[in-house]
Amino acid sequence: MANLTLVQAINLALVQEMEKDDRVLILGEDVGLNGGVFRVTDGLFKRFGGDRIVDTPLAESGIIGTSIGLAMAGLRPVPEIQFEGFLGPAYDQICSHAARMRTRTRGAFTVPLTIRVPVGGGIHAPELHSDSPEAIYAHQPGLKVVMPASPYDAKGLLISAIRDPDPVIFFEPKRIYRAFREEVPEDEYTVPIGKARVVCEGDDLTIVSWGASVVQCMQAIERSSASIELIDMRTIYPFDIDAVEESVSKTGRCVIVHEAPRTCGFGAEIATQIMERCFLQLEAPVQRVAGFDTIMPYYKLENDYLPDADRIELAIQEIGAY
Amino acid sequence: MANLTLVQAINLALVQEMEKDDRVLILGEDVGLNGGVFRVTDGLFKRFGGDRIVDTPLAESGIIGTSIGLAMAGLRPVPEIQFEGFLGPAYDQICSHAARMRTRTRGAFTVPLTIRVPVGGGIHAPELHSDSPEAIYAHQPGLKVVMPASPYDAKGLLISAIRDPDPVIFFEPKRIYRAFREEVPEDEYTVPIGKARVVCEGDDLTIVSWGASVVQCMQAIERSSASIELIDMRTIYPFDIDAVEESVSKTGRCVIVHEAPRTCGFGAEIATQIMERCFLQLEAPVQRVAGFDTIMPYYKLENDYLPDADRIELAIQEIGAY
Amino acid sequence: MPITKVLEAQIDHVSILDEHGNFDESLGKGLIPDEDLIKLYGHMVICRLLDEVAFKLQRSGRMGTYPQNMGQEAPSLGAAYALETTDWMVTCYRENCGLFWRGLPMEKILQHWMGDERGNDIPRELHATPIAVPIGTQMLHATGLAWAAKYRGEKRVACTFFGDGATSEGDFHEAMNFAANLDIPVVFFCQNNQWAISVPGKIQCSAPTVAQRGFAYGMDCLRCDGNDIFAVVHCMNKAIASGRDNKRPTFIEAVTYRLGDHTTADDARRYRDAEEVELWKARDPITRIKAFMKSRKIWDDSKQAELEEHADEAVSAAVKRAEGIEAPNKEDFFNWMYAELPEQLVVQRDTMRTSSIGQDPSQIESPQASQQS
Amino acid sequence: MPITKVLEAQIDHVSILDEHGNFDESLGKGLIPDEDLIKLYGHMVICRLLDEVAFKLQRSGRMGTYPQNMGQEAPSLGAAYALETTDWMVTCYRENCGLFWRGLPMEKILQHWMGDERGNDIPRELHATPIAVPIGTQMLHATGLAWAAKYRGEKRVACTFFGDGATSEGDFHEAMNFAANLDIPVVFFCQNNQWAISVPGKIQCSAPTVAQRGFAYGMDCLRCDGNDIFAVVHCMNKAIASGRDNKRPTFIEAVTYRLGDHTTADDARRYRDAEEVELWKARDPITRIKAFMKSRKIWDDSKQAELEEHADEAVSAAVKRAEGIEAPNKEDFFNWMYAELPEQLVVQRDTMRTSSIGQDPSQIESPQASQQS
Ligand SMILES: Cc1ncc(C[n+]2csc(CCOP(=O)(O)OP(=O)(O)O)c2C)c(N)n1
Ligand SMILES: Cc1ncc(C[n+]2csc(CCOP(=O)(O)OP(=O)(O)O)c2C)c(N)n1
Ligand SMILES: [Mg+2]
Ligand SMILES: [Mg+2]
């Protein structure tokens, strides 16, 4: 056991999977000697050499497209895309190929690929460095989409992702890369893709969230006198609607918190499924505390954009009064 | 007035806007002499010449990226992307630039761009020629997303789109390009972006749909003995939730029908907002009759994938019995 | 010296057997043994026939949209002939002739265009990837496949095929650039058939040659008459050697022509002159081999008659096999989505519904009753 | 003739004033009049100082991440000097020196990196687009802007700037290809500073020159010492003439070097040798002009002292102006989304909520009461 940050937990997972399985290789911009712009691959170049930790040309479609080829050949590439804002150029390779390969070839070819991408706002970065596109990829059948909210989960989920026989987008909430530490076992372990985590239990209200927002939810819960159950989805697709259903059936009230713009965000899917499954138990409409339907502003205003404990607290009060 | 197909109505809108405004130009693959693979730009090359109807290299990011430049300079480019499956390579230019230009420059630059794209299944086309990505672009703030379901609306909405000072993705449901005709005025007129259309009125149930699915909805309604109100959204963003609210407040029941995969589809957003706005009037959970969360199959199975009148009819019966 | 020359480059064009029957012995001798030439010729004849039959299948409603390969048999066949079966073939949709040479059953291609994914279920030992529909995207996969071979210390190369239009896509550039800079053994094989649907080659590449696209990456660039199978094999041999030994990619431009429409959904008369087509009919890759073999006395009319009969049989049998495949099961489009199907997809499959009430009939009082109403 | 040469190409490197003080009269004479050279030099000195001050602003928490321009003053300045103000400048983020020459107030750039969109609100008459953050994307906009000029019959060209790394992106290829094939007057100006963050140039382009990227499009390709403003101006003059008169694009590779870290978030010592940096410090674009002007007796220490004083003042004033701008209003990030704000956005802005109950307080019994609880 060691007390690790999320960055360290991911680094540890990468090291362990690479030691164990020489089909695993890492490619991307600045992942080599530099250890990545967030230093997530720090030390790996030295340890595993330039054949397994590969600095590529600056081209995201190229990184993902060649990774698809590597994966089709049976390797387990783990490409890094530097910021979620630069997934865009790779969108087509991800959605037109990685997501479709297994079904369009009826299993002749598969794409066991794990795309690591820092995600979300809150670090005062330049434009296009603070977005949250998880719903885009959840809408694309054939992908799995994961977003851990803690170091322990990050390690376990990343190991699951790398071993998963299908393509996984592994979003790493950059705001909590080094925000706190947690006990993380040295030994390998997996956290299953598709299972939510009940962060704390409660009876009055359910909060559903994922990624860095989980921290804001916890702050709001601490301030509140209500008995609140917090669910960290951990996986965006496939998602653990059973865990949500179970909780909301009990509490009758739900607030969903996410950074992405509200319209067509993943919150809409969860809210809809709650309505479908807990229709008779619902005491108030499910509430979304989300990013606004605007471009994430430059950093001077980003705190006005991001859902924070204040906005969550208000929603808790309001839904309670409904 | 003339009795026109949807293709003809769009062609007419293009001709009229080009005659009226020489800032309008068309670019894309095969839009010139060939008149586009669906013949939507038929005759335009002859009429307006190669400077205004431009065959470009085969590169969707290039088409949209140069269109952004053309628009920043004050022109009104109307690029065509051949099929929605080939929007992928242009995703980054659309979402990282077109959608952001006005706000990131605080109005110094704007992108009055209309991207025309055939959309959806049902024509027995090869893979990647039958998808429905409207939710992806509805989730991206800064865009407008339009999808007409009739020749009359197609003409009026396209004229609105071309005149709109912001970027519009204009999805053309290819299944109904030539499926039926409608009286379309010769004179120019506009249909406002952001306003739904009540196709028929009813008291028992509301069906909300858009694009080619509206036809299937009408078939199901004809078969049903219930009194059903059908709303054609016409615009995916900004969307006319007031029209939906008004209807569902009255009927208490709603079925949403769309071709795109269910998870994180635009149906989820509407369903959620119905819950938010009509919570106390809802008699049953809003139902989604949508594409499955799979890749749209090759054409031998596409009819099993697409929501048809049978599936809609079942949902009508089931929600009625809830 | 204010102006210093820092680089010089040139492009050569290779032609061995031209359409007038000229044969260059210096390059051509021994390149393709006679018995192989006979086989290659026979194979092209069969493929041409299949292509014609496929066109008719579409016209009579027995197949969906189909892109004819007619006139472009030599490029992919020459390439497939030069490659080992352990080398990857990463194709577009005008490489039927090469794929069939590799061993792909003809019915697989028919099945694909008949709208059935199982047409893409290519036996692994063929080392061939299925038809790529989104233009320009598959070259990156070839780069990845060849990279994997290099990573594992295998001597395998990947040869990827694409049209002139495809060289306009950004992914083409990225694939070339990755291969050149990371030393990955890929043969980038451009079938320059001079049209991308209705758009002429000059709109895709206004440079004098497409071959020079490779200069941008410091790559070896070869250009040849693509309708001359000898020239194709010559270039491929060079490219393969360089890939196998030095892990260097090569760019090949094979100049050819699409004799048919772009696909069965297209009508090429809208945008190109009949004369141009006639000109290229005279440059047909098949007839020139036949003439050459006759001049070498290794082919005659009776052999031709025999071949044609065989071709008829082979093609009819393939069509029969394709049409005899049992209809796909609608569960298939669920079952192959993931190695393990997520629960919500299981429910969607088992109920064929996306509506929550329909998926969970306990939600309604009496579903049976209501369904009968 | 089985093998025919069909194309020859070459790349020349241009150097006029080198780091040892050698000046080529044949190309250099009259290229930049003395009074202009003095101005250009003074401008570079001010820009260098601003760059250093910006670094300190970031370090002291008064600004966000900032990419230093240090060492790369000559390329964008030479280009801006050669262009007309009616020509478009479509930049990346290492063209401060050129943008300021064009007339962009220095505080605009500071404001941008201080996290304020209003830094991008560039006066229209400057014909400059704001800093582009996503690498490789802005060249397409330049192509569109120049195309619009051609469409309107204007004589305007667009010059777009990007790094060596950017030439690996697909959009770079598409922009070059569109411009070449559709005859659009763009100057593609690559600042090859030999690094893309930690990745060395050879990973982006293993060809001997980056300039030869232009061969792929049959484009004119020029290469020069980017730290030599004379060479830059020489190449730009050629490119501009070709664009204005013949609507032909040109590709320019200006070889330069990033003396600082990639950005303030980077530490270049992790990946590159101090010696390399020292080598390039000796090739500084500013010091060589100073030496040259001194040798020509048009500059002396007192002028230098005066200039430095003026630079201090100018930069302090710019920082003061940037820091004096009133804080942005949080309504701004709504208000500029569309020409006309959709209703749902109006509600989000006015309530600063996305929750339905919060947006419509009539939905709760006593909102005031509950908010006070
Ligand atoms: C990304 C993408 N854009 C557009 C299309 C539509 N399309 C299909 S084939 C084709 C032309 C391809 O031309 P080329 O690469 O020269 O190949 P050819 O058909 O001539 O063999 C186009 C535009 C597509 N399939 N994919
Ligand atoms: C599409 C995209 N991918 C990645 C990044 C992250 N990034 C910012 S600058 C940079 C390197 C750019 O190198 P180069 O083009 O040579 O310009 P330089 O910084 O050297 O001036 C990278 C990878 C980005 N901004 N955009
Ligand atoms: Mg072609
Ligand atoms: Mg650089």
Side-chain angles (χ1 to χ4, degrees):
Chain A
M1 280 292 229
N3 209 21
L4 302 184
T5 62
L6 201 135
V7 162
Q8 291 168 327
I10 293 172
N11 184 281
L12 183 59
L14 291 171
V15 168
Q16 291 182 343
E17 284 302 288
M18 289 194 69
E19 299 251 317
K20 197 185 160 90
D21 184 351
D22 61 17
R23 295 173 307 170
V24 179
L25 77 165
I26 288 175
L27 61 157
E29 297 157 10
D30 305 290
V31 296
L33 199 52
N34 198 39
V37 289
F38 285 106
R39 308 278 178 260
V40 176
T41 58
D42 202 21
L44 271 62
F45 181 79
K46 226 169 150 182
R47 187 160 186 160
F48 297 105
D51 288 343
R52 297 189 67 196
I53 310 287
V54 186
D55 275 334
T56 65
L58 203 176
E60 289 74 13
S61 190
I63 292 168
I64 301 306
T66 52
S67 293
I68 290 171
L70 289 162
M72 287 167 75
L75 299 182
R76 302 254 159 181
V78 185
E80 173 179 300
I81 297 294
Q82 222 156 58
F83 286 87
E84 75 294 319
F86 311 132
L87 267 177
Y91 175 86
D92 190 51
Q93 283 289 343
I94 296 171
C95 295
S96 297
H97 283 294
R100 293 170 199 251
M101 196 60 78
R102 179 189 290 277
T103 188
R104 71 187 278 269
T105 66
R106 293 296 185 249
F109 289 96
T110 60
V111 182
L113 172 70
T114 302
I115 306 175
R116 289 186 39 252
V117 202
V119 76
I123 64 159
H124 269 37
E127 68 170 319
L128 283 162
H129 289 65
S130 304
D131 285 351
S132 296
E134 67 273 12
I136 299 296
Y137 298 97
H139 186 50
Q140 173 61 54
L143 303 175
K144 295 185 178 179
V145 182
V146 172
M147 199 190 295
S150 76
Y152 177 91
D153 283 353
K155 181 180 171 191
L157 282 166
L158 182 55
I159 293 178
S160 295
I162 293 173
R163 296 183 189 172
D164 197 283
D166 286 302
V168 180
I169 304 191
F170 190 85
F171 283 116
E172 302 170 356
K174 57 180 93 89
R175 187 154 38 139
I176 55 171
Y177 260 153
R178 295 179 169 83
F180 58 93
R181 290 168 181 273
E182 195 175 64
E183 291 297 319
V184 174
E186 269 299 331
D187 291 347
E188 67 166 71
Y189 61 91
T190 57
V191 170
I193 291 175
K195 287 272 162 260
R197 168 176 69 118
V198 178
V199 181
C200 61
E201 297 190 10
D203 296 315
D204 299 342
L205 168 75
T206 304
I207 297 185
V208 174
S209 191
W210 52 91
S213 293
V214 169
V215 175
Q216 273 69 47
C217 295
M218 274 156 46
Q219 288 168 4
I221 290 171
E222 268 164 38
R223 291 191 205 162
S224 171
S225 55
S227 165
I228 299 176
E229 186 145 308
L230 174 59
I231 296 182
D232 168 11
M233 292 304 289
R234 299 202 289 201
T235 299
I236 312 299
Y237 194 88
F239 51 99
D240 190 355
I241 194 66
D242 292 342
V244 175
E245 176 180 1
E246 196 183 318
S247 177
V248 180
S249 300
K250 174 176 72 178
T251 61
R253 287 184 164 84
C254 182
V255 174
I256 301 170
V257 181
H258 62 73
E259 286 187 25
R262 185 183 72 177
T263 295
C264 288
F266 180 52
E269 181 62 37
I270 304 211
T272 302
Q273 294 215 8
I274 291 173
M275 166 174 53
E276 290 172 352
R277 290 160 177 253
C278 312
F279 189 70
L280 301 174
Q281 293 89 339
L282 270 186
E283 317 237 6
V286 178
Q287 295 297 294
R288 290 179 290 174
V289 178
F292 297 104
D293 289 320
T294 70
I295 299 299
M296 157 68 81
Y298 284 19
Y299 76 74
K300 279 211 170 160
L301 295 176
E302 80 171 327
N303 288 337
D304 294 302
Y305 181 91
L306 292 169
D308 58 9
D310 289 348
R311 276 172 64 198
I312 300 167
E313 201 187 354
L314 263 180
I316 293 172
Q317 290 168 0
E318 288 161 352
I319 200 173
Y322 186 91
Chain B
M1 280 291 230
N3 209 20
L4 302 185
T5 62
L6 201 134
V7 162
Q8 291 168 326
I10 293 172
N11 183 282
L12 183 59
L14 291 171
V15 168
Q16 291 182 343
E17 284 303 287
M18 290 193 70
E19 299 252 315
K20 196 185 159 89
D21 184 351
D22 61 17
R23 294 172 308 170
V24 179
L25 77 166
I26 288 176
L27 61 157
E29 296 156 12
D30 304 290
V31 295
L33 199 53
N34 198 40
V37 289
F38 285 105
R39 308 279 178 260
V40 176
T41 58
D42 201 21
L44 270 62
F45 182 78
K46 224 169 152 185
R47 187 159 185 160
F48 297 105
D51 288 343
R52 296 188 68 195
I53 311 287
V54 186
D55 275 334
T56 64
L58 203 176
E60 289 74 13
S61 190
I63 293 169
I64 302 305
T66 53
S67 293
I68 291 172
L70 289 162
M72 288 167 75
L75 299 182
R76 301 253 161 182
V78 186
E80 172 179 302
I81 296 294
Q82 220 155 57
F83 286 87
E84 76 293 321
F86 311 132
L87 266 177
Y91 174 87
D92 191 51
Q93 283 289 344
I94 296 171
C95 295
S96 297
H97 282 294
R100 292 170 200 251
M101 196 59 78
R102 180 188 289 277
T103 190
R104 71 187 279 269
T105 67
R106 292 298 185 248
F109 290 96
T110 61
V111 182
L113 172 69
T114 301
I115 306 175
R116 290 186 38 253
V117 202
V119 77
I123 64 158
H124 269 36
E127 69 171 319
L128 283 163
H129 289 65
S130 306
D131 285 350
S132 297
E134 68 273 12
I136 299 295
Y137 298 97
H139 186 51
Q140 173 61 54
L143 303 175
K144 295 186 176 178
V145 182
V146 173
M147 200 190 293
S150 76
Y152 178 91
D153 283 353
K155 181 179 171 192
L157 281 166
L158 182 55
I159 294 178
S160 294
I162 294 173
R163 296 182 189 173
D164 198 282
D166 285 303
V168 180
I169 304 192
F170 191 84
F171 283 116
E172 304 171 357
K174 58 180 92 88
R175 186 153 40 139
I176 54 171
Y177 259 152
R178 295 180 167 82
F180 58 93
R181 289 168 181 273
E182 194 176 65
E183 290 298 319
V184 175
E186 268 299 331
D187 291 348
E188 69 166 70
Y189 61 92
T190 58
V191 170
I193 291 175
K195 287 271 163 262
R197 168 176 71 117
V198 177
V199 182
C200 61
E201 297 190 10
D203 296 315
D204 298 342
L205 167 75
T206 305
I207 297 185
V208 174
S209 191
W210 53 92
S213 294
V214 169
V215 176
Q216 274 69 47
C217 294
M218 273 156 46
Q219 288 167 5
I221 289 172
E222 268 162 38
R223 291 193 206 160
S224 172
S225 55
S227 165
I228 299 176
E229 186 145 308
L230 174 59
I231 296 182
D232 167 11
M233 291 304 288
R234 300 201 290 199
T235 300
I236 312 300
Y237 193 88
F239 52 98
D240 189 354
I241 195 65
D242 292 341
V244 175
E245 178 180 0
E246 195 183 320
S247 178
V248 180
S249 300
K250 174 176 71 179
T251 62
R253 286 183 165 84
C254 182
V255 173
I256 301 170
V257 181
H258 63 73
E259 286 187 26
R262 184 182 72 176
T263 295
C264 288
F266 179 52
E269 181 61 37
I270 304 212
T272 301
Q273 293 215 10
I274 291 172
M275 166 173 54
E276 290 172 353
R277 290 161 177 253
C278 312
F279 190 71
L280 300 174
Q281 293 90 339
L282 271 186
E283 316 238 6
V286 178
Q287 295 297 296
R288 291 179 289 174
V289 178
F292 297 104
D293 289 320
T294 70
I295 298 300
M296 157 68 81
Y298 282 20
Y299 76 73
K300 279 210 171 160
L301 295 175
E302 81 171 328
N303 288 338
D304 294 303
Y305 180 91
L306 291 170
D308 58 9
D310 288 348
R311 276 172 65 198
I312 300 168
E313 201 186 354
L314 264 181
I316 293 172
Q317 289 168 0
E318 289 161 352
I319 199 173
Y322 184 91
Chain C
M1 288 204 309
I3 296 190
T4 337
K5 190 199 292 182
V6 285
L7 183 103
E8 256 186 341
Q10 85 176 52
I11 298 285
D12 294 327
H13 181 92
V14 180
S15 153
I16 298 176
L17 174 63
D18 73 15
E19 69 261 38
H20 310 296
N22 300 314
F23 183 74
D24 184 82
E25 292 284 343
S26 69
L27 292 182
K29 201 168 169 194
L31 187 60
I32 303 177
D34 282 351
E35 64 270 30
D36 285 4
L37 191 62
I38 292 171
K39 276 193 209 144
L40 290 166
Y41 170 73
H43 185 76
M44 284 163 99
V45 168
I46 295 174
C47 291
R48 176 71 61 93
L49 182 64
L50 181 86
D51 206 57
E52 285 162 3
V53 167
F55 181 85
K56 289 181 197 146
L57 287 175
Q58 191 281 333
R59 282 293 186 266
S60 59
R62 289 153 71 189
M63 194 163 75
T65 307
Y66 173 76
Q68 281 198 289
N69 284 208
M70 194 166 56
Q72 296 185 223
E73 288 83 359
S76 68
L77 179 58
Y81 172 74
L83 291 162
E84 302 289 330
T85 356
T86 45
D87 294 325
W88 285 103
M89 281 181 71
V90 181
T91 61
C92 192
Y93 48 77
R94 291 203 211 274
E95 292 81 23
N96 290 350
C97 199
L99 285 170
F100 297 154
W101 182 263
R102 174 61 66 97
L104 185 71
M106 289 194 283
E107 59 269 30
K108 282 279 178 195
I109 294 289
L110 296 177
Q111 199 180 1
H112 172 101
W113 297 111
M114 284 172 173
D116 186 337
E117 287 86 347
R118 291 171 299 172
N120 292 334
D121 181 5
I122 295 177
R124 191 75 185 187
E125 63 276 15
L126 291 184
H127 296 99
T129 58
I131 283 168
V133 164
I135 298 295
T137 54
Q138 75 278 12
M139 297 88 119
L140 279 168
H141 309 161
T143 304
L145 287 161
W147 182 351
K150 179 183 161 189
Y151 181 86
R152 291 182 164 129
E154 299 165 350
K155 283 239 157 193
R156 220 186 284 273
V157 307
C159 181
T160 182
F161 300 85
F162 47 89
D164 43 314
T167 70
S168 293
E169 288 280 4
D171 275 6
F172 160 77
H173 170 70
E174 300 190 14
M176 297 273 286
N177 200 43
F178 269 63
N181 305 345
L182 303 178
D183 290 314
I184 301 175
V186 187
V187 183
F188 291 94
F189 193 110
C190 178
Q191 291 208 50
N192 178 6
N193 67 5
Q194 310 183 50
W195 291 91
I197 311 186
S198 74
V199 181
K202 286 287 139 196
I203 299 280
Q204 310 296 344
C205 180
S206 54
T209 68
V210 174
Q212 74 201 75
R213 293 250 197 242
F215 281 167
Y217 318 97
M219 212 184 269
D220 286 339
C221 307
L222 306 175
R223 185 174 196 258
C224 69
D225 176 354
N227 286 0
D228 170 3
I229 198 165
F230 288 92
V232 172
V233 171
H234 171 86
C235 292
M236 279 298 297
N237 285 346
K238 275 188 135 174
I240 293 168
S242 157
R244 252 197 254 299
D245 299 339
N246 309 319
K247 307 294 170 217
R248 286 299 296 167
T250 299
F251 183 72
I252 297 177
E253 175 192 2
V255 182
T256 181
Y257 194 78
R258 192 192 83 208
L259 287 178
D261 294 329
H262 169 68
T263 66
T264 48
D266 178 49
D267 177 3
R269 288 169 305 182
R270 288 175 69 93
Y271 53 79
R272 69 181 187 185
D273 290 341
E275 288 146 54
E276 186 183 282
V277 182
E278 288 312 310
L279 186 75
W280 280 92
K281 276 193 181 151
R283 297 178 182 161
D284 192 300
I286 303 186
T287 49
R288 75 172 76 170
I289 302 187
K290 185 167 146 197
F292 177 71
M293 292 196 305
K294 278 189 165 174
S295 77
R296 307 255 304 211
K297 309 264 186 289
I298 57 171
W299 196 250
D300 58 30
D301 289 346
S302 83
K303 285 186 177 152
Q304 180 71 21
E306 218 176 285
L307 170 63
E308 281 170 15
E309 195 175 319
H310 168 64
D312 273 339
E313 279 164 22
V315 168
S316 311
V319 171
K320 209 168 157 191
R321 283 196 302 278
E323 293 195 323
I325 295 165
E326 85 286 22
N329 188 323
K330 69 185 168 190
E331 303 207 336
D332 282 3
F333 71 75
F334 293 94
N335 288 341
W336 291 104
M337 283 302 300
Y338 295 91
E340 204 182 316
L341 212 56
E343 201 185 301
Q344 296 209 3
L345 267 181
V346 172
V347 175
Q348 290 187 8
R349 179 193 62 195
D350 293 348
T351 62
M352 282 306 276
R353 315 272 181 91
T354 55
S355 50
S356 64
I357 304 175
Q359 290 180 333
D360 177 4
S362 76
Q363 290 194 315
I364 44 177
E365 280 152 35
S366 163
Q368 296 315 39
S370 84
Q371 280 190 30
Q372 285 153 13
S373 75
Chain D
M1 291 202 307
I3 297 190
T4 337
K5 190 198 292 181
V6 285
L7 183 103
E8 255 185 342
Q10 85 176 52
I11 298 285
D12 293 327
H13 182 93
V14 180
S15 153
I16 298 176
L17 173 64
D18 74 14
E19 69 262 38
H20 310 296
N22 300 314
F23 183 75
D24 182 83
E25 291 284 344
S26 68
L27 293 182
K29 200 169 167 191
L31 187 61
I32 304 177
D34 282 352
E35 63 270 29
D36 285 3
L37 190 63
I38 291 171
K39 277 191 210 143
L40 291 165
Y41 170 74
H43 185 76
M44 284 163 100
V45 168
I46 294 174
C47 291
R48 175 71 61 92
L49 182 64
L50 181 85
D51 206 57
E52 285 161 2
V53 168
F55 181 85
K56 289 181 197 146
L57 287 174
Q58 190 280 335
R59 282 294 186 264
S60 59
R62 289 153 71 188
M63 195 163 74
T65 306
Y66 173 76
Q68 280 198 288
N69 283 210
M70 195 166 56
Q72 298 184 221
E73 288 82 1
S76 69
L77 180 58
Y81 172 75
L83 291 161
E84 302 289 328
T85 356
T86 45
D87 295 323
W88 286 103
M89 281 181 71
V90 181
T91 60
C92 191
Y93 47 77
R94 290 201 212 277
E95 292 82 21
N96 291 350
C97 199
L99 285 170
F100 297 153
W101 182 263
R102 173 62 65 97
L104 185 71
M106 289 194 282
E107 59 269 27
K108 282 279 178 195
I109 294 289
L110 296 177
Q111 199 180 0
H112 172 102
W113 297 112
M114 284 172 174
D116 186 338
E117 286 87 348
R118 291 171 300 172
N120 292 334
D121 181 6
I122 294 177
R124 191 76 185 187
E125 63 276 14
L126 291 184
H127 296 99
T129 59
I131 284 168
V133 163
I135 297 296
T137 54
Q138 74 278 12
M139 296 88 118
L140 280 169
H141 309 161
T143 304
L145 288 162
W147 182 351
K150 180 183 160 188
Y151 181 87
R152 290 181 165 131
E154 298 166 349
K155 284 240 155 193
R156 222 185 282 274
V157 307
C159 180
T160 182
F161 300 85
F162 46 89
D164 43 312
T167 70
S168 293
E169 288 280 5
D171 275 6
F172 160 77
H173 169 70
E174 300 190 13
M176 297 273 285
N177 199 44
F178 269 63
N181 305 345
L182 303 178
D183 290 314
I184 302 175
V186 187
V187 183
F188 291 94
F189 194 109
C190 178
Q191 291 208 51
N192 177 5
N193 66 5
Q194 311 185 49
W195 291 91
I197 310 186
S198 74
V199 180
K202 287 287 140 198
I203 300 279
Q204 311 296 344
C205 180
S206 55
T209 67
V210 174
Q212 73 200 75
R213 294 252 197 239
F215 280 167
Y217 319 96
M219 211 184 271
D220 286 338
C221 308
L222 307 173
R223 185 175 197 259
C224 69
D225 176 353
N227 286 0
D228 169 4
I229 197 164
F230 288 93
V232 172
V233 171
H234 171 86
C235 293
M236 279 298 297
N237 285 345
K238 276 187 135 175
I240 293 168
S242 157
R244 251 195 255 299
D245 300 340
N246 309 319
K247 308 294 172 218
R248 287 298 297 164
T250 300
F251 183 71
I252 297 177
E253 175 192 3
V255 182
T256 179
Y257 195 78
R258 190 192 83 208
L259 287 177
D261 294 329
H262 169 69
T263 66
T264 48
D266 179 48
D267 178 2
R269 289 167 306 181
R270 289 175 69 93
Y271 53 78
R272 69 180 186 185
D273 289 339
E275 288 144 54
E276 185 184 283
V277 181
E278 287 312 311
L279 186 75
W280 280 92
K281 276 192 182 153
R283 298 177 182 161
D284 192 299
I286 303 186
T287 50
R288 75 172 76 170
I289 301 187
K290 186 167 143 195
F292 177 71
M293 293 195 304
K294 278 189 166 173
S295 78
R296 308 253 304 211
K297 308 265 187 289
I298 57 171
W299 197 251
D300 59 29
D301 289 348
S302 83
K303 285 186 176 151
Q304 179 71 22
E306 218 175 285
L307 169 63
E308 281 171 14
E309 196 175 320
H310 167 63
D312 273 341
E313 280 163 21
V315 169
S316 312
V319 172
K320 209 167 155 190
R321 283 195 301 276
E323 294 195 323
I325 296 166
E326 84 286 22
N329 188 324
K330 68 185 167 189
E331 304 207 334
D332 282 2
F333 70 77
F334 293 95
N335 289 341
W336 292 104
M337 282 303 299
Y338 295 91
E340 203 181 316
L341 213 55
E343 200 184 302
Q344 295 208 5
L345 268 180
V346 172
V347 175
Q348 289 187 8
R349 180 194 63 195
D350 293 349
T351 63
M352 283 305 278
R353 314 273 180 90
T354 56
S355 50
S356 64
I357 305 174
Q359 290 181 333
D360 178 4
S362 75
Q363 292 194 313
I364 45 176
E365 279 152 38
S366 164
Q368 295 317 38
S370 85
Q371 281 188 32
Q372 282 152 15
S373 76

